[in-house]
């Protein structure tokens, strides 16, 4: 199933250009605008000790562990084009966010808008199917069946005994990518779908790997691969941790025959980035491989505050945090604010 990402001798520059122009990456800048308007992240959060913003979930201290709270909203075009899968993803992407922080899901609620019951039916059917398959109960929500278009958002509550975060990657650590390649693209979007045909036991067992890694102390930092793709997700992780990252593109786990630029910007149904000390890498890789999930050392966490990609001797910078932020979250946002003062 896995082959080196097929990057031809003359393809690297074209891939770099597409990564730099990635809509999925640049859309993450919307988070910075919203966070600034709300007074979240950056200077205010750093000085007040508030819940850190920019992670996959808000982590709320609760006894000896943490409650994890997150929400996902979906593009109108996605809900219109593939409403059943949009409903499925309402659960799937939320449980992925919980797992990315070392947690286990407790329950979800949904908000559905549709033009009548017939418009809502496939979305609700997808939500129900995923709720049952992942074993996460739907416990309520909001419904409006008198709108002119379908819209969907889903929120989740989970719990972690020990956190994986976007804020704890350290220079010198190894960057690991773990992706379930047992799937296919679900047209027309760049979604790599490896979940709807999987049995419940497989889905639950695969997600259990992340809290297991956290509780064994094998890693402190992780993020699920989002619409920003492997490189864009690595950029978000780097900014939150106030570090840089260098990624060897050919080492990214990939299905055979994919277009490399498309793959690097794809949203896999099961895909995570983790960082770890070199000594812990074999144990982490073995846990994923034992469940049929392809995992590999794809790069290094650096101290230079840049996101770089390499292929052979070639190296290019995709994002430079010394010049501009992305999410506007994490220690780097505070540093830039102080420098501008």
């Amino acid at each position: 199933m896995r082959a080196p990402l097929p990057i031809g001798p003359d393809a690297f520059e074209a891939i770099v250009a597409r990564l730099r122009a990635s809509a999925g990456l640049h859309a993450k800048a919307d988070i910075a605008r919203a966070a600034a308007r709300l007074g979240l992240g950056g200077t205010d959060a750093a000085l007040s000790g508030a819940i850190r913003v920019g992670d996959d979930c808000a982590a709320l201290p609760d006894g000896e562990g943490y409650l994890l709270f997150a929400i996902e909203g979906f593009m109108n075009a996605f809900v219109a084009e593939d409403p059943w899968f949009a409903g499925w993803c309402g659960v799937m992407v939320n449980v992925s966010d919980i797992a990315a922080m070392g947690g286990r899901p407790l329950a979800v609620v949904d908000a559905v808008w549709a033009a009548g019951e017939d418009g809502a039916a496939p979305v609700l059917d997808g939500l129900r199917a995923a709720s049952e398959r992942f074993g996460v109960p739907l416990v309520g929500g909001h419904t409006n069946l008198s709108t002119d278009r379908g819209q969907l958002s889903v929120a989740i509550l989970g719990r972690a005994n020990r956190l994986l975060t976007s804020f704890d990657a350290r220079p010198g650590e190894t960057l690991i990518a773990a992706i379930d390649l047992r799937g296919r693209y679900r047209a027309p979007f760049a979604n790599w779908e490896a979940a709807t045909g999987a049995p419940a036991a497989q889905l639950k067992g695969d997600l259990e790997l992340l809290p297991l890694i956290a509780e064994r102390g094998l890693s402190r930092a992780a993020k699920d691969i989002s619409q920003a793709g492997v490189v864009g997700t690595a950029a978000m992780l780097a900014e939150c941790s106030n570090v840089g990252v260098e990624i060897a593109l050919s080492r990214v786990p990939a299905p055979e025959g994919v277009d490399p630029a498309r793959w690097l910007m794809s949203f896999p149904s099961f895909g995570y980035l983790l960082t770890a000390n070199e000594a812990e890498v074999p144990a982490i890789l073995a846990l994923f491989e034992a469940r049929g999930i392809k995992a590999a050392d794809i790069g290094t966490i650096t101290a230079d505050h840049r996101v770089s990609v390499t292929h052979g001797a070639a190296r290019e910078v995709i994002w430079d945090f010394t010049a501009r932020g992305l999410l506007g979250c994490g220690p780097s946002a505070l540093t830039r604010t102080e420098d501008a003062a």
Side-chain angles (χ1 to χ4, degrees):
M1 286 290 292
R2 190 220 182 263
L5 196 58
I7 301 174
D10 301 319
F12 182 62
E13 289 186 6
I15 292 171
V16 167
R18 288 178 66 181
L19 290 173
R20 286 174 175 157
S22 166
L25 173 61
H26 287 277
K28 298 301 180 180
D30 291 348
I31 296 172
R33 299 184 183 96
R37 177 70 64 176
L38 293 169
L40 303 174
T43 304
D44 292 341
L47 294 179
S48 69
I51 301 300
R52 293 184 293 189
V53 174
D55 224 328
D56 290 282
C57 306
L60 312 175
D62 181 59
E64 296 182 358
Y66 298 84
L67 287 175
L68 302 176
F69 190 29
I71 188 169
E72 293 282 351
F74 296 87
M75 295 181 295
N76 290 348
F78 178 40
V79 178
E81 183 77 24
D82 200 349
W84 185 93
F85 189 54
W88 173 280
C89 287
V91 175
M92 182 183 73
V93 299
N94 270 303
V95 298
S96 182
D97 282 343
I98 295 292
M101 294 195 64
R104 298 173 178 90
L106 296 175
V108 294
V109 295
D110 67 279
V112 176
W113 294 260
E117 185 176 352
D118 289 345
V123 177
L124 296 175
D125 289 346
L127 278 164
R128 180 175 179 176
S131 169
E132 292 172 351
R133 193 82 60 84
F134 284 98
V136 184
L138 275 160
V139 297
H142 171 82
T143 305
N144 184 338
L145 301 182
S146 301
T147 64
D148 62 350
R149 72 200 70 188
Q151 298 185 38
L152 173 67
S153 62
V154 180
I156 191 165
L157 186 68
R159 182 180 293 279
N161 296 319
R162 189 167 182 177
L163 288 178
L164 298 169
T165 84
S166 299
F167 299 93
D168 291 301
R170 297 291 180 264
E173 290 184 327
T174 298
L175 180 69
I176 296 168
I179 306 173
D180 190 347
L181 305 182
R182 299 166 292 187
R184 61 185 175 84
Y185 276 115
R186 191 176 179 108
F189 303 101
N191 296 321
W192 183 258
E193 203 281 282
T196 56
Q202 177 185 316
L203 296 175
K204 296 173 188 177
D206 291 349
L207 288 169
E208 179 65 19
L209 291 176
L210 281 300
L212 181 65
I213 287 168
E215 288 161 10
R216 289 185 180 179
L218 298 176
S219 174
R220 297 171 304 179
K223 203 162 187 67
D224 77 326
I225 300 171
S226 70
Q227 293 284 4
V230 169
V231 177
T233 301
M236 294 188 287
L237 175 63
E239 183 179 27
C240 286
S241 289
N242 200 24
V243 296
V245 62
E246 184 171 288
I247 301 170
L249 295 184
S250 65
R251 296 191 340 227
V252 175
E256 293 181 0
V258 295
D259 171 69
R262 185 187 190 195
W263 178 248
L264 291 166
M265 296 184 290
S266 294
F267 183 10
S269 59
F270 184 102
Y272 296 89
L273 298 180
L274 305 94
T275 73
N277 294 323
E278 184 177 356
E280 311 294 358
V281 172
I284 294 173
L285 298 183
L287 285 169
F288 285 110
E289 293 288 346
R291 295 198 59 83
I293 296 165
K294 300 304 177 184
D297 157 7
I298 66 166
T300 304
I301 303 301
T302 68
D304 70 355
H305 305 294
R306 295 176 177 85
V307 178
S308 303
V309 296
T310 66
H311 183 59
R315 181 179 184 275
E316 293 287 345
V317 175
I318 301 299
W319 200 277
D320 185 349
F321 291 113
T322 67
R324 55 176 173 158
L326 181 60
L327 302 177
C329 302
S332 57
L334 176 59
T335 301
R336 285 192 300 272
T337 301
E338 291 174 339
D339 289 344

